[in-house]
Amino acid sequence: MCIRDRFIIFARFFRVKLPTHWMKVPHKKINGRMTYIEREMQYIPGRTHVKAVCATLNQAHKLQMGVELLENIDSKYCYIADGAESLQSEWLCQLLSRRDPATGQLHVTSLDLSLLHSKTSEAQAAAFKESLKLIAELLKDMGITDEVSPRILNFRPASSMNDRAAAARKAATPVAGGRNRDHVRPQAPQACAARSRSDGLGEPGRPPGR
């Protein structure tokens, strides 16, 4: 399914009117020459435009995450990651969430969306380190820091939340620095309450919700 079809489907589902514009389009040949007519066309971005927007937003999220880490480096963050396949390529989406100590609200920020060349736990853990390196280099290039910040490079989340896939669970261990089976350091508070409810459901000998 092409991008145009997806825009139309979502617009119909959410009852959103897509913007339109007038443009000249080929009509038919008359005496060997192509004639053109003006037609009202739906203004829908193509694949190249969507890729450019996503690439720009991905860099903007890195910058936002870097500034947030510099200002709240001691906050307890939860690392959230999941992979997905698109156009025969494997992608890894990484998020960081933290609870605001003043309001108690959870703030979730995109860390990176990157191409994953392998589904192994080592590749996922390496992707996290590479994302931190890119953020540190971006902060330096933007003049926010004078050097590639070691605080960013050495950052470790306090906990993690991932699906039940073996590779995802194993990758969360070096990322969060955890040692126990839940990949959460014993001294760290529960930055992600959802994990304690979802992790381990259906396992023999474990009561639901624990």
Side-chain angles (χ1 to χ4, degrees):
M1 182 182 297
C2 66
I3 292 179
R4 175 185 174 82
D5 293 337
R6 294 178 182 179
F7 269 92
I8 295 175
I9 290 173
F10 280 109
R12 289 176 178 173
F13 180 81
F14 291 107
R15 298 182 179 180
V16 176
K17 183 179 179 181
L18 292 172
T20 60
H21 65 130
W22 290 88
M23 65 179 299
K24 289 185 177 182
V25 297
H27 180 48
K28 60 182 179 179
K29 284 188 176 182
I30 299 179
N31 298 328
R33 297 185 61 181
M34 178 63 69
T35 60
Y36 296 84
I37 60 173
E38 283 196 350
R39 180 174 296 175
E40 188 178 14
M41 307 291 292
Q42 291 178 327
Y43 196 77
I44 299 177
R47 179 182 297 180
T48 303
H49 179 76
V50 171
K51 285 184 176 181
V53 171
C54 291
T56 302
L57 289 178
N58 194 25
Q59 290 297 98
H61 281 303
K62 284 191 180 73
L63 184 61
Q64 179 186 5
M65 191 72 256
V67 174
E68 184 177 326
L69 286 177
L70 289 177
E71 296 176 348
N72 306 280
I73 196 67
D74 295 326
S75 297
K76 304 299 182 181
Y77 282 89
C78 176
Y79 173 74
I80 307 170
D82 199 7
E85 186 176 344
S86 177
L87 300 176
Q88 299 181 346
S89 298
E90 190 74 20
W91 294 85
L92 179 67
C93 178
Q94 303 177 89
L95 309 172
L96 287 178
S97 71
R98 69 179 180 90
R99 190 174 296 279
D100 192 319
T103 63
Q105 294 182 342
L106 278 176
H107 296 275
V108 182
T109 307
S110 172
L111 176 67
D112 197 4
L113 176 63
S114 56
L115 189 64
L116 196 61
H117 299 286
S118 173
K119 292 184 178 181
T120 64
S121 58
E122 292 79 7
Q124 294 186 35
F128 174 73
K129 293 183 179 179
E130 180 65 21
S131 297
L132 292 180
K133 180 182 177 183
L134 293 175
I135 289 176
E137 292 175 347
L138 180 60
L139 291 174
K140 181 178 180 296
D141 294 339
M142 295 298 294
I144 297 176
T145 58
D146 296 330
E147 59 178 358
V148 176
S149 175
R151 299 179 66 187
I152 301 294
L153 296 177
N154 298 325
F155 167 76
R156 290 295 178 271
S159 59
S160 67
M161 184 171 68
N162 50 268
D163 57 27
R164 299 296 297 165
R169 297 183 64 191
K170 188 177 179 181
T173 303
V175 169
R179 295 294 181 183
N180 58 5
R181 64 182 305 278
D182 288 331
H183 312 307
V184 182
R185 286 183 285 189
Q187 71 274 18
Q190 289 187 358
C192 292
R195 178 171 180 78
S196 62
R197 297 299 179 188
S198 62
D199 188 24
L201 291 180
E203 286 188 1
R206 171 173 288 201
R210 293 188 181 181

